[in-house]
Amino acid sequence: MLEGSPQFSQLVPEVRVNIVYSLPDAQSPADVAGVDGRITAVGGMPKASGPVRFGASDHMARLIIELRRHERGIRAGINFRWTEQLLTLVQRWCGERGWSMGVIDRTLEPKELVGKDRGSMAWKVAQLVKESGGRVPRIFYETRGWGKEPLFFMVGADPVPLAEDAIDIGRRWDAECRGRSVER
């Protein structure tokens, strides 16, 4: 579905996109399926760099596993590009659905975690859940941090509705950007 949406290619961040789906009892990234090499944009179209396989994702897999400690029903996730302009659109989109949006403020990250590879996931999720009233929001974003690109994340029980929602956001973004320059 994602590869068939040229509008979604506008949501591909520099770090690329991954969409993941975990086994019901996932304990490690080996228990989470993702796109090997992530999803990139080629010729204006989203393109999976490789096949879907278990263990292909590290970051998104660890995020889903950590989120499941707070909400067991979460098994899937997708990341996509964040900009100030896109934030405004996604806030409207969430409002139409009655969804609240969460944020992980990387400027609050403890100094001992900044720049430490694979060291901040538990802190990020704990901050998100705390700031979201003890719940995991279906959509949230992460602000810029040391060596980190800001990103949106959408999570849920199944990857198909996540892909459909991401495509819808891409279509709306494309429609909004026609006639004006797109922030990159």
Side-chain angles (χ1 to χ4, degrees):
M1 282 187 331
L2 293 171
E3 286 184 321
S5 173
Q7 297 90 354
F8 180 75
S9 68
Q10 295 179 50
L11 300 184
V12 175
E14 293 297 320
V15 295
R16 307 300 177 228
V17 170
N18 214 331
I19 186 165
V20 298
Y21 191 41
S22 76
L23 294 173
D25 58 349
Q27 299 296 312
S28 77
D31 300 325
V32 181
V35 178
D36 196 0
R38 301 183 186 175
I39 299 167
T40 190
V42 178
M45 293 295 289
K47 178 70 177 153
S49 296
V52 173
R53 69 172 180 82
F54 283 92
S57 171
D58 181 62
H59 185 263
M60 287 294 295
R62 289 184 296 111
L63 175 66
I64 294 301
I65 291 166
E66 192 65 32
L67 288 170
R68 288 178 52 75
R69 296 181 200 280
H70 299 274
E71 193 171 316
R72 297 295 298 163
I74 294 173
R75 291 186 51 204
I78 186 169
N79 70 294
F80 58 95
R81 178 174 163 232
W82 182 95
T83 67
E84 288 284 344
Q85 290 174 325
L86 189 54
L87 174 60
T88 300
L89 180 141
V90 173
Q91 286 171 326
R92 281 194 317 266
W93 187 88
C94 286
E96 292 170 10
R97 285 153 184 76
W99 294 4
S100 61
M101 183 186 308
V103 62
I104 299 169
D105 186 348
R106 296 297 295 256
T107 65
L108 301 176
E109 189 170 0
K111 291 186 190 305
E112 64 271 12
L113 297 178
V114 174
K116 183 180 176 188
D117 192 35
R118 305 177 89 203
S120 63
M121 192 63 72
W123 173 84
K124 290 189 318 184
V125 169
Q127 185 202 37
L128 173 67
V129 171
K130 178 183 173 191
E131 295 299 318
S132 299
R135 303 203 55 165
V136 176
R138 290 189 58 186
I139 190 163
F140 55 94
Y141 66 97
E142 184 176 297
T143 64
R144 281 183 175 78
W146 184 84
K148 304 295 181 186
E149 179 179 11
L151 295 171
F152 277 108
F153 299 90
M154 205 171 354
V155 297
D158 186 300
V160 173
L162 295 181
E164 291 168 344
D165 287 344
I167 289 167
D168 185 43
I169 291 169
R171 285 184 187 130
R172 290 174 183 226
W173 178 242
D174 181 65
E176 194 168 294
C177 291
R178 283 181 230 191
R180 67 172 167 84
S181 63
V182 177
E183 181 184 327
R184 276 311 255 186

